[in-house]
Amino acid sequence: MELTFEEVVERVKAEREFQDSCVSKYFAHYGKRSALDPSRSVPAEILMMDEYIHRAQKAWTEGKTDEEALAAIRKVTAMGMRCLQYHGCPDRGLDCTYVIED
């Protein structure tokens, strides 16, 4: 099933909102504002993303549906967006030298 870029962005945005609302209760217990607390380090963010990438791999290797693996990737994508929002998102730059020849 192919989706438009906009549809994917909306689903990742919804995942991000879900994560923030669910995790906020957990963070409040520890005296932090929410899952949006920028004090979470970049290494901690990477660790969380790595865990969910492994869940996607496990879903695939155990013969479960692609949908389960894709759900984990949606979660990782939302985590990555949160990390970039709070720790910076370097510009891609124009360093691509690949040329498509006709």
Side-chain angles (χ1 to χ4, degrees), residues 12 52-53 56 66 68-79:
V12 172
Y52 278 84
I53 284 293
D66 283 353
E68 291 183 60
L70 292 169
I73 292 169
R74 183 196 65 241
K75 294 172 185 178
V76 170
T77 303
M79 291 174 199

Side-chain angles (χ1 to χ4, degrees), residues 14-54:
E15 174 63 32
R16 174 74 194 282
E17 291 168 354
F18 173 81
Q19 290 175 3
D20 291 345
S21 66
C22 289
V23 179
S24 291
K25 293 176 186 173
Y26 174 83
F27 273 68
H29 177 76
Y30 291 101
K32 296 187 177 188
R33 292 180 304 145
S34 70
L36 296 174
D37 190 333
S39 68
R40 181 182 288 173
S41 67
V42 172
E45 296 281 11
I46 293 168
L47 182 63
M48 288 292 297
M49 289 185 280
D50 185 58
E51 170 62 26
Y52 278 84
I53 284 293
H54 281 95

